[in-house]
């Protein structure tokens, strides 16, 4: 009996992993280039949004600066993986010990995540003491600091110029392994005692303190873990897009990630995933539409920027009419759904 | 140039840039004081006013008329913004309001990109604004003097308005306690609209001075000023009007100071230092210089 319940518990995750693998396998084999790119982008966005949820959703530390960690991850990993002959051309002033290094993807990504995490720890020591809107403004300040440093630190970043020649290591598989891992970790943290500490501190700081929750410590821990995963996503993105500049990591990108998070629902991991799917697909469709298209005899000219406007309007509508997002902080209960399906089947069998 | 003159020169620079920040920061602080809304889109009102001014100048209107129309356009844009985007959110969480203001920014900036193309355009300011007055060895840009005088006059007028008029007093009441103000029969919607109108008017004025200073305008021109105004109002204590003004002049002084003191290799990093100092300051005075240090009571 004990054995069978344990087995039963393993069924939902096993089903999910198998389904995910089947979808990815099919995309990898059958789908065209364009669709494959979208699937990769969705995977990277899942990591970005789920990890942002860890800090913004669970602890209520509403960071606007996470794109800064993404930038740190992207640049750090790219400097490590850039082939030696390209380093000599693109980054000639790099210190000698880095000049000869051309790391494989995984260690570079892990190191990039760790660097983002260290920076998060250093900044977080002071930021996590702030509250509400002050934290948002201060993290925005952090984003500006990262931006200024990227634009001016020529020796490592090529300044405002494009950083090109990053090897295209990102595939559907390695991106989605990280994505699945991120969703699993964030979901487990959310369901753990530690996750409840975070939410308690978010919902009522004084009550949480009085119950012995160390508010600053739990915020800082969430912030650091979140920064690690965001740094990893930055590395994956860099090795997918292969050329980028500091401008890629600024306000527009920050806003797009936050849109997905809020529309999915703060504090809900399944909400994050749903938000990413909806918004990525929608913005991809809109971006195609704004290049201009024909309806019968009517020809619409391209209007660049129109998709961003529509997204902004949609976002305001969600905030006004569904302020808690689509999932409203709840999770999709896969076990419950499976149980209900099982129960109805059994019910039918009895009848 | 003697060292006193150099010091005076830098002081004028600091006060002039601080004046622009002050006019911006007041608009932010007024709205935040009442609604707890950080209106990120405040910067885009600068852009609206400047483009309207430029457009009318290109149509042949004299600068002063075009400028007046530009300021009016900013004010109207601010009022529309309040009515359409922020009024439906009364009582919402401050983060929800902040995110809405981001959406408004994205909306306005992309609209401007569609209407006016993303590239920057020259802003032909009249000769008076480009003049340079020489006092002894001192060279003072006419624009700096005008910015300082305009800010002084507007700040004085605003002080009188907030202290002496009924609407001004109602505004201060609303920022102390919105619910109590409403119970006292204050028409809160009118007060909030007035706050937006004043803030947007000031932003329109800043837009003119800023555009004349930079010499060109583009759809994203509001981003840096609003960011700086944020820093100013956070330094002073979000929501406090005197705090916002003090914060703005402190920020202006800090920027000029850093420009002078940083070794030349580090001057491009000036803004990074400014924000690092902001974060450090928040650590010691989490509510700014004049912000209340009162903690939530149980």
């Amino acid at each position: 009996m004990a054995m069978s319940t344990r087995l039963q518990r393993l069924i939902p995750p096993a089903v999910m992993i198998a389904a995910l693998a089947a979808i990815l396998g099919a995309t990898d084999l059958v789908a065209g280039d364009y669709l494959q790119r979208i699937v990769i982008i969705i995977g990277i966005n899942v990591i970005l949004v789920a990890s942002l949820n860890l800090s913004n959703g669970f602890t209520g530390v509403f960071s606007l600066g996470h794109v800064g960690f993404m930038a740190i991850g992207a640049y750090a990993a790219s400097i490590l993986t850039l082939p030696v002959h390209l380093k000599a051309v693109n980054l000639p002033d790099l210190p000698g010990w880095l000049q000869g290094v051309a790391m494989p993807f995984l260690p570079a990504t892990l190191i990039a995540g760790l660097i983002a995490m260290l920076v998060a720890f250093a900044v977080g020591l002071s930021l996590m003491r702030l509250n509400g809107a002050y934290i948002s403004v201060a993290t925005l300040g952090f984003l500006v600091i990262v931006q200024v440093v990227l634009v001016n630190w020529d020796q490592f970043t090529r300044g405002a110029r494009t950083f090109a020649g990053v090897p295209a290591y990102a595939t559907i598989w390695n991106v989605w392994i990280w994505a699945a891992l991120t969703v699993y970790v964030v979901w487990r943290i959310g369901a753990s005692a530690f996750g409840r500490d975070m939410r308690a501190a978010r919902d009522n700081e004084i009550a949480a303190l009085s119950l012995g929750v160390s508010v600053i410590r739990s915020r800082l821990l969430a912030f650091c873990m979140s920064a690690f995963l965001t740094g990893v996503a930055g590395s994956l993105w860099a090795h997918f897009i292969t050329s980028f500049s500091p401008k890629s990591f600024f306000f527009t990108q920050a806003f797009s990630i936050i849109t997905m998070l809020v529309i999915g629902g703060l504090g809900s991991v399944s909400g994050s995933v749903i938000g990413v799917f909806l918004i990525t697909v929608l913005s991809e469709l809109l971006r195609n539409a704004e290049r201009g298209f024909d309806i019968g005899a009517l020809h619409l000219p391209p209007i660049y920027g129109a998709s961003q406007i529509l997204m902004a309007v949609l976002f305001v509508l969600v905030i006004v009419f569904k302020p808690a997002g689509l999932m409203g902080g709840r999770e999709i209960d896969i076990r419950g759904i499976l149980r209900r399906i099982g129960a109805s089947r059994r019910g039918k069998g009895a009848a | 140039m003697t060292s006193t003159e150099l010091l005076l020169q830098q002081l004028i620079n600091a006060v002039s840039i601080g004046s622009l920040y002050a006019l911006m920061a007041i608009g932010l602080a007024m709205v935040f004081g009442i609604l707890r809304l950080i209106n990120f889109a405040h910067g885009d009102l600068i852009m609206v006013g400047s483009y309207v001014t430029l457009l009318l100048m290109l149509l042949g209107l004299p600068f002063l008329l075009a400028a007046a129309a530009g300021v009016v356009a900013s004010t109207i844009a601010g009022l529309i913004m309040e009515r359409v985007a922020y009024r439906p959110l009364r009582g919402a969480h401050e983060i929800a309001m902040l995110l809405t203001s981001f959406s408004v920014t994205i909306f306005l900036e992309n609209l401007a990109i569609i209407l006016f193309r993303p590239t920057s355009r020259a802003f032909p300011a009249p000769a008076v604004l480009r003049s340079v007055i020489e006092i002894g060895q001192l060279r003072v840009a006419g624009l700096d003097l005008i910015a300082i005088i305009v800010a002084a006059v507007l700040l004085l007028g605003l002080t009188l308005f907030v202290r002496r008029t009924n609407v001004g007093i109602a505004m201060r009441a609303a920022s102390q306690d919105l619910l109590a103000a409403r119970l006292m029969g204050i028409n809160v919607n009118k007060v909030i609209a007035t706050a937006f109108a004043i803030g947007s008017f000031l932003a329109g004025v800043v837009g003119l001075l800023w555009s004349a200073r930079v010499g060109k305008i583009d759809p994203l021109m509001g981003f840096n000023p609003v960011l700086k105004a944020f820093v100013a109002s956070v330094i002073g204590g979000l929501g406090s009007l005197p705090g916002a003004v003090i914060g703005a002049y402190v920020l202006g002084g800090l920027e000029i100071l850093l420009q002078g003191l940083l070794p030349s290799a580090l001057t491009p990093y000036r803004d990074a230092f400014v924000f690092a100092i902001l974060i450090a300051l928040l650590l010691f005075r989490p509510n700014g210089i004049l912000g209340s240090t009162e903690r939530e009571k149980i």
Side-chain angles (χ1 to χ4, degrees), chain B residues 70-82:
Chain B
V71 173
V72 171
S74 283
T75 314
I76 294 174
L79 283 171
I80 296 176
M81 195 188 276
E82 189 272 325

Side-chain angles (χ1 to χ4, degrees), chain A residues 35-49:
Chain A
L35 199 62
Q36 289 201 9
R37 287 182 74 82
I38 292 182
V39 171
I40 292 182
I41 292 174
I42 290 179
I44 294 172
N45 283 342
V46 164
I47 307 175
L48 286 170
V49 175

Side-chain angles (χ1 to χ4, degrees), chain A residues 249-265:
Chain A
F249 307 97
F250 211 28
F251 192 61
T252 318
Q253 174 68 13
F255 183 71
S256 120
I257 298 173
I258 286 169
T259 310
M260 296 179 202
L261 176 66
V262 173
I263 287 185

Side-chain angles (χ1 to χ4, degrees), chain A residues 25-36 39 172:
Chain A
T27 329
D28 198 12
L29 291 174
V30 184
D33 223 25
Y34 177 65
L35 199 62
Q36 289 201 9
V39 171
I172 286 190

Side-chain angles (χ1 to χ4, degrees), chain A residues 223-268:
Chain A
F223 193 64
C224 288
M225 281 192 290
S226 161
F228 173 82
L229 293 168
T230 307
V232 165
S235 162
L236 295 173
W237 187 81
H239 292 84
F240 163 68
I241 212 90
T242 70
S243 68
F244 47 86
S245 68
K247 264 192 289 182
S248 319
F249 307 97
F250 211 28
F251 192 61
T252 318
Q253 174 68 13
F255 183 71
S256 120
I257 298 173
I258 286 169
T259 310
M260 296 179 202
L261 176 66
V262 173
I263 287 185
L266 280 169
S268 158

